[in-house]
Amino acid sequence: DGGITQSPKYLFRKEGQNVTLSCEQNLNHDAMYWYRQDPGQGLRLIYYSQIVNDFQKGDIAEGYSVSREKKESFPLTVTSAQKNPTAFYLCASSIDRSGGFNQPQHFGDGTRLSIL
Amino acid sequence: EDKVVQSPLSLVVHEGDTVTLNCSYEVTNFRSLLWYKQEKKAPTFLFMLTSSGIEKKSGRLSSILDKKELFSILNITATQTGDSAIYLCAVDSNYQLIWGAGTKLIIKP
């Protein structure tokens, strides 16, 4: 079945460490997104990518980095510059961005990141 | 600044009750409004609304959009314990989704 796979489900990070969250999709979607979800808040966009080798900053990109070397993969690195990384991270994809975001996004099951 | 506000933030009802969740918005360039259901993990898509007054329906769930008053409602009739979840509303504005904080719905047996 097609879908989005995020790994790991849980991740612990020591202060000063960079960590990378994986996101893979086999839906043949062009657009991919990373969101951060904190308790009591809506999803906030970190980065998005419309096409391979291209990506754009979202609202809260500071302290994060991404790459899009393959259509199916959009890994997120949480760097040591991100001072409050504890959160639930969601990856999503959509067919493309023609007409804007006017198409449903499909989500992975998320990665919960905690600081030790 | 674009914003999406959902109410109530949380709601506890008994099985069989009908609930109405609200989503109001103020955005610069409205394109569509989307509802998602999140049960601990991945949000799953429920509805996309683009036109006022046209109800979208899926089983016991229905939703409608009012573009004049800038809000949408999500109705769930004959609620079941499996409806317990966070319901998220998002508005597509200027090629970006603006998300509400969600309504946490708890259905007691």
Side-chain angles (χ1 to χ4, degrees):
Chain A
D1 282 12
I4 300 175
T5 301
Q6 289 188 241
S7 62
K9 291 191 185 327
Y10 299 95
L11 186 59
F12 298 92
R13 189 191 96 170
K14 292 182 181 179
E15 288 193 21
Q17 268 185 340
N18 292 353
V19 292
T20 298
L21 283 58
S22 170
C23 177
E24 304 277 332
Q25 54 99 358
N26 60 3
L27 300 166
N28 201 32
H29 285 174
D30 283 319
M32 297 186 74
Y33 316 82
W34 273 105
Y35 291 97
R36 171 180 171 140
Q37 187 177 29
D38 294 282
Q41 296 190 38
L43 277 65
R44 291 184 289 168
L45 183 64
I46 304 173
Y47 269 97
Y48 64 95
S49 168
Q50 300 176 67
I51 198 168
V52 173
N53 292 323
D54 183 63
F55 48 83
Q56 307 294 328
K57 291 182 179 180
D59 297 322
I60 56 166
E62 186 174 350
Y64 300 97
S65 66
V66 293
S67 63
R68 187 87 186 276
E69 296 176 3
K70 299 186 296 182
K71 185 175 184 177
E72 13 350 312
S73 179
F74 191 40
L76 173 74
T77 296
V78 184
T79 74
S80 57
Q82 171 49 241
K83 296 307 177 189
N84 184 22
T86 296
F88 188 53
Y89 291 87
L90 285 162
C91 178
S93 70
S94 60
I95 293 173
D96 58 35
R97 289 193 69 212
S98 61
F101 274 68
N102 204 17
Q103 295 159 7
Q105 294 179 12
H106 301 265
F107 286 84
D109 281 345
T111 293
R112 194 166 296 279
L113 174 63
S114 300
I115 296 298
L116 291 177
Chain B
E1 182 185 341
D2 290 350
K3 64 178 179 180
V4 174
V5 178
Q6 291 186 246
S7 63
L9 291 181
S10 64
L11 184 60
V12 181
V13 300
H14 286 98
E15 224 174 359
D17 289 350
T18 294
V19 298
T20 298
L21 309 184
N22 302 288
C23 176
S24 64
Y25 61 89
E26 291 180 32
V27 299
T28 51
N29 185 19
F30 178 90
R31 299 177 65 86
S32 64
L33 184 145
L34 300 93
W35 284 98
Y36 284 82
K37 177 183 180 182
Q38 185 177 24
E39 296 173 89
K40 296 184 181 179
K41 294 182 179 178
T44 53
F45 172 72
L46 295 174
F47 299 112
M48 179 188 289
L49 304 157
T50 56
S51 302
S52 271
I54 299 175
E55 185 183 55
K56 294 243 177 155
K57 197 170 172 64
S58 176
R60 296 176 293 102
L61 276 66
S62 64
S63 184
I64 198 161
L65 173 68
D66 186 329
K67 290 170 74 174
K68 181 179 178 185
E69 298 299 328
L70 307 182
F71 76 93
S72 172
I73 60 172
L74 175 68
N75 276 324
I76 308 175
T77 59
T79 52
Q80 303 170 357
T81 54
D83 295 326
S84 295
I86 296 174
Y87 290 84
L88 297 166
C89 172
V91 174
D92 176 353
S93 171
N94 285 330
Y95 301 92
Q96 186 160 331
L97 284 181
I98 312 299
W99 293 83
T103 292
K104 185 174 183 178
L105 177 63
I106 297 172
I107 311 296
K108 287 188 171 181

